[in-house]
Amino acid sequence: MLRTDLFSEIADRILCLEKGHPIRVGVSGITSSGKTTLANELAEELRKRKIEVIRTSIDNFHNPKKIRYRQGKESPLGYYEDAHDYDSFKDKFLLPIGPGGNLHYQLKSFNLAADEYVFPDIKIANKDSIFIVDGTFLFKKDLYNLFDFRIFVETDFDIARKRGAKREQHTFGSYEKAEEMFLKRYHVASKLYLEQHLP
């Protein structure tokens, strides 16, 4: 199947949903699987059809460093358990736009670069909007049912590691160090996600 045909089919399936509230689309996969790219392309396909699409990521709902790194900067458990602020993600974003929600939401709760909480203006959702969210651990069991449509990007770990190391080599100082972080931290955490939550 051509990539354009794939996105057209996914868009068709999403638009068949009738929920009475904004449709919450989750795009998950292991770290560096291609989630963001897929989510952006899907958003473009829907916008071509004159649908209002709002994009965000669970990475806009991080915890501060003192929580993220309390198990160590290279700890896979720390990444898996402590990276994201799931309470804010649910209470400020997913639940308000879901069944019975008041449609008042925010797309971000934390500025990662500044390591500080943010308090953006509250937005009001249109019931006909589609929200597309990407994130590594989106389909943990306590989040799974908060999405109306779920996409899991299945990617080989070796391919994802090489892609991620190339992308993050400047962050970690070299390709080799970035690759080591994927081996020791990110992809160990991703394997825990696959084993424990079967996304």
Side-chain angles (χ1 to χ4, degrees), residues 125-176:
N126 183 324
K127 288 186 178 181
D128 296 324
S129 297
I130 295 176
F131 287 75
I132 301 179
V133 192
D134 65 85
T136 300
F137 307 132
L138 278 191
F139 303 152
K140 285 186 173 182
K141 291 171 184 174
D142 61 337
L143 295 174
Y144 185 85
N145 289 324
L146 299 181
F147 292 96
D148 306 299
F149 193 92
R150 292 171 289 273
I151 300 168
F152 187 84
V153 183
E154 188 172 357
T155 308
D156 180 83
F157 273 92
D158 286 339
I159 292 172
R161 184 189 74 248
K162 291 173 184 176
R163 179 189 294 157
K166 184 177 180 180
R167 183 187 70 195
E168 300 294 341
Q169 59 185 324
H170 297 297
T171 302
F172 292 106
S174 69
Y175 177 92
E176 291 73 22

Side-chain angles (χ1 to χ4, degrees), residues 90-122:
K90 289 187 287 187
D91 294 342
K92 296 178 180 180
F93 176 60
L94 288 175
L95 290 173
I97 60 173
N102 63 10
L103 301 178
H104 291 67
Y105 71 95
Q106 64 185 66
L107 292 174
K108 187 171 187 174
S109 70
F110 195 77
N111 183 323
L112 192 62
D115 195 41
E116 63 184 17
Y117 290 104
V118 294
F119 304 93
D121 291 338
I122 302 300

